[in-house]
Amino acid sequence: MKLALKGPVPGLQPQFFFGNLLQTGILSGKPLFQVWSAFQQKYGDVFQWYFGQQRVLLFNRIEHAQYILGNRQLYDLSVLTEKTFGLLFPRSLLAIKGSMWKRHARVMLPMLKKAKIVPYLQTIVDCIDNLIQKWRDESQNHLYTNIVNDAQDSLLNVIGIIAFDYDLKNSTMVHAFNDVISVSTTLILLGGLPEFMGRLYLRFNSKYQRGLQLLRQHINDIIKQEQQRIKNNGTENRRKNLVSLLVSSLVEDNEILNDDSKQGLTRDELFDEVFLSVLGGFETSATTISWFIYYMSKYPDIQQRIKQELRSKNITQYTVLTSELVDELVYVDCVMKELFRFAPVQPGVGRSAQEDDEIDGIKIKRGDVVLIGTHNIHHDKRVWSLDPDKFIPERFLQEDKTYPPYAMLLFGAGHRACAGQDLARFELKLIIVRLMQFVTFIDGGKDNSGGYLQRITVIPKHLAVYMKFDTT
């Protein structure tokens, strides 16, 4: 049964209950960015889309992005995001707004800056070294087909140590993380379905509830230990994980209720913020590394140019990496930017209208959800000088060196840009450099055909490479 479109904006007539999810193949794993790209070609730069019963207006020009993301008083937290993440992490930055958001932001944003992450440089290197050693232990001439899972396991361990000072490898904690993440992924993809269904899904999902209970217990144990340590020894020799750094911000629920100017986070708020940071940092970074390996296997000249830059900076396998040394690598930055632009990690950025408005002659009503087609802007020939449908890192040294604001939206923009983007950029660059010190990725032929699989992010569907382990 099909329903009528609302208003004059073009789009595909939605089906009852499923909206456009079933008829376009999203529920079967087709990525959103592909569907929205086809919709743009058919309907133009503005069209309707239905996540279940939730209507969304999709805007796909850079001018749209600049207007929507640059006017925080007109466009704030998306109702769709608030509803979905409100079920998973109701007290996190992604699910709150107003004075509560400002209180959380004052605590969380400084925690996720690069200066807080640099001390973990060797931790990240050690985790990647373990991954490289795992690959070395495979038989020679081995076709590696488990790259995505390997990247996810490695990045999950990195985030686990940074957030909890806990090695997740071969522990019950890794199962708890994976269970909660897999259930969260399903719920996010079905975010347009009625809220009561999401609540029932989480409440009666035993895997999710067990994992959540174990994670809460572990974080509470860290909090108690850190509080006792501070009581006994003050702030000296304090633990350096994310949870322990946030302990000093803890306040009681009744303090917040009785004084709305009170600063800090309650215990439940701290849990939601930490776990959201884990989910966001793990998923996006692991996906980007998987795409990096895929593209390096397909573009060996780019891979060799990275290695050439390392040699020009006298970076060998014996070089101890530092933040300053990694910062000097300009071409690696270009490769990262091209990954952010080209790889379809995040299909869109959403907001909700706070009052009536008009964009390009389109009437916007208060409460309407508007969404910016990230991938469409990243591949817009009106924005990029060099062919945006080609993977060309050199564009950021040449014609596209000074690309316009809002042309790159992997981490969003405006006051609700990704809080952990400093962590992600530093972590990803360090991982890329470490991999390129030791490994050359070689195309796995027909098994390395790419393709896309929609999760929270879009991962490579078919990724298979050979590896040559460099000797110098």
Side-chain angles (χ1 to χ4, degrees):
M1 175 182 176
K2 288 187 178 182
L3 305 176
L5 289 169
K6 182 179 178 181
V9 180
L12 180 64
Q13 282 184 279
Q15 294 175 316
F16 177 74
F17 193 75
F18 291 104
N20 296 136
L21 295 173
L22 183 62
Q23 61 195 154
T24 56
I26 299 300
L27 294 183
S28 301
K30 191 170 183 177
L32 284 165
F33 86 90
Q34 280 190 333
V35 175
W36 291 346
S37 178
F39 270 43
Q40 184 186 24
Q41 294 177 27
K42 183 175 182 179
Y43 299 117
D45 287 329
V46 184
F47 53 83
Q48 296 189 51
W49 171 264
Y50 284 79
F51 283 103
Q53 297 173 322
Q54 178 64 61
R55 173 181 179 260
V56 173
L57 292 172
L58 257 116
F59 291 86
N60 296 279
R61 281 177 33 210
I62 192 170
E63 294 84 359
H64 298 150
Q66 184 168 0
Y67 181 79
I68 293 169
L69 299 177
N71 283 282
R72 61 182 296 179
Q73 75 280 7
L74 293 177
Y75 297 94
D76 201 349
L77 176 66
S78 164
V79 171
L80 192 62
T81 303
E82 183 178 11
K83 182 172 66 174
T84 302
F85 284 92
L87 292 175
L88 295 168
F89 317 110
R91 297 161 292 266
S92 69
L93 284 170
L94 266 183
I96 57 179
K97 55 186 177 181
S99 60
M100 187 177 181
W101 182 88
K102 292 178 182 178
R103 174 167 59 83
H104 281 236
R106 277 192 286 267
V107 175
M108 290 304 300
L109 297 188
M111 288 294 104
L112 299 173
K113 294 299 182 184
K114 180 180 176 181
K116 295 288 186 181
I117 308 304
V118 168
Y120 295 101
L121 184 150
Q122 192 56 48
T123 295
I124 298 171
V125 168
D126 290 343
C127 289
I128 299 307
D129 285 351
N130 289 337
L131 175 59
I132 293 171
Q133 187 58 52
K134 175 183 182 297
W135 288 338
R136 282 184 182 274
D137 291 340
E138 300 283 351
S139 59
Q140 290 187 353
N141 299 319
H142 177 71
L143 182 64
Y144 296 81
T145 59
N146 205 35
I147 297 295
V148 173
N149 287 337
D150 287 344
Q152 290 172 344
D153 289 346
S154 186
L155 266 296
L156 185 58
N157 207 36
V158 169
I159 296 295
I161 293 173
I162 290 174
F164 309 109
D165 194 24
Y166 196 93
D167 188 342
L168 294 173
K169 188 168 55 178
N170 299 322
S171 75
T172 56
M173 287 289 288
V174 75
H175 297 298
F177 269 108
N178 284 329
D179 286 347
V180 173
I181 287 169
S182 66
V183 173
S184 300
T185 299
T186 301
L187 188 68
I188 290 169
L189 289 178
L190 299 176
L193 297 181
E195 185 175 342
F196 80 90
M197 294 187 65
R199 292 189 183 280
L200 290 175
Y201 175 67
L202 293 180
R203 182 176 179 180
F204 293 105
N205 191 301
S206 58
K207 182 171 67 171
Y208 175 81
Q209 293 297 335
R210 283 195 304 268
L212 198 65
Q213 182 179 6
L214 182 59
L215 292 173
R216 283 190 181 279
Q217 182 60 52
H218 186 71
I219 290 180
N220 283 331
D221 287 345
I222 292 175
I223 292 172
K224 291 177 184 177
Q225 292 169 15
E226 185 60 22
Q227 287 176 322
Q228 187 62 45
R229 182 177 285 106
I230 292 174
K231 181 178 179 181
N232 295 336
N233 305 314
T235 58
E236 295 181 4
N237 301 317
R238 68 186 303 172
R239 296 171 73 174
K240 295 299 183 183
N241 61 62
L242 180 60
V243 175
S244 66
L245 290 172
L246 289 171
V247 164
S248 60
S249 74
L250 276 176
V251 294
E252 298 299 325
D253 289 308
N254 60 346
E255 294 182 75
I256 296 294
L257 289 174
N258 296 330
D259 183 0
D260 58 9
S261 67
K262 190 74 175 178
Q263 303 303 308
L265 302 177
T266 67
R267 194 176 295 255
D268 286 340
E269 289 172 340
L270 187 150
F271 175 84
D272 281 2
E273 293 292 9
V274 170
F275 195 75
L276 177 63
S277 299
V278 171
L279 177 62
F282 147 77
E283 177 77 20
T284 304
S285 296
T287 298
T288 304
I289 289 300
S290 298
W291 281 115
F292 168 76
I293 292 172
Y294 173 76
Y295 290 125
M296 292 308 97
S297 72
K298 293 295 185 181
Y299 299 99
D301 54 327
I302 295 174
Q303 186 171 199
Q304 289 307 311
R305 183 163 179 179
I306 296 176
K307 292 177 180 291
Q308 181 182 353
E309 183 178 45
L310 298 188
R311 290 192 293 270
S312 72
K313 299 294 183 180
N314 295 316
I315 298 177
T316 70
Q317 293 183 353
Y318 305 103
T319 301
V320 177
L321 295 178
T322 65
S323 175
E324 294 76 17
L325 191 56
V326 171
D327 285 344
E328 293 179 12
L329 299 170
V330 175
Y331 187 68
V332 175
D333 279 327
C334 294
V335 173
M336 283 180 54
K337 288 179 181 178
E338 189 68 342
L339 279 170
F340 296 157
R341 186 196 69 81
F342 196 81
V345 175
Q346 175 181 284
V349 179
R351 295 287 187 269
S352 282
Q354 304 303 297
E355 56 186 77
D356 292 354
D357 194 22
E358 183 174 317
I359 303 176
D360 259 5
I362 306 297
K363 300 290 186 182
I364 309 292
K365 295 294 185 181
R366 181 181 178 181
D368 281 351
V369 177
V370 297
L371 196 144
I372 300 156
T374 301
H375 185 266
N376 288 345
I377 291 177
H378 287 187
H379 288 255
D380 192 338
K381 290 180 171 61
R382 296 167 294 188
V383 174
W384 303 97
S385 298
L386 297 181
D387 188 347
D389 292 326
K390 293 183 179 179
F391 190 85
I392 310 173
E394 288 78 9
R395 74 174 66 247
F396 296 106
L397 296 172
Q398 302 167 3
E399 288 89 339
D400 290 316
K401 183 177 182 179
T402 55
Y403 55 89
Y406 300 94
M408 294 272 282
L409 295 171
L410 175 64
F411 299 105
H415 76 293
R416 286 193 172 272
C418 174
Q421 61 180 294
D422 281 359
L423 185 158
R425 293 178 194 276
F426 174 73
E427 178 185 59
L428 288 168
K429 189 173 184 182
L430 182 59
I431 292 171
I432 287 171
V433 172
R434 196 61 174 174
L435 289 175
M436 291 292 91
Q437 282 181 280
F438 289 90
V439 186
T440 297
F441 299 104
I442 302 169
D443 190 3
K446 60 181 179 62
D447 295 310
N448 194 40
S449 58
Y452 309 101
L453 183 62
Q454 180 76 59
R455 295 184 15 144
I456 297 178
T457 56
V458 180
I459 63 175
K461 189 174 183 178
H462 302 291
L463 173 54
V465 299
Y466 295 101
M467 296 186 196
K468 174 186 174 185
F469 296 97
D470 303 336
T471 56
T472 57

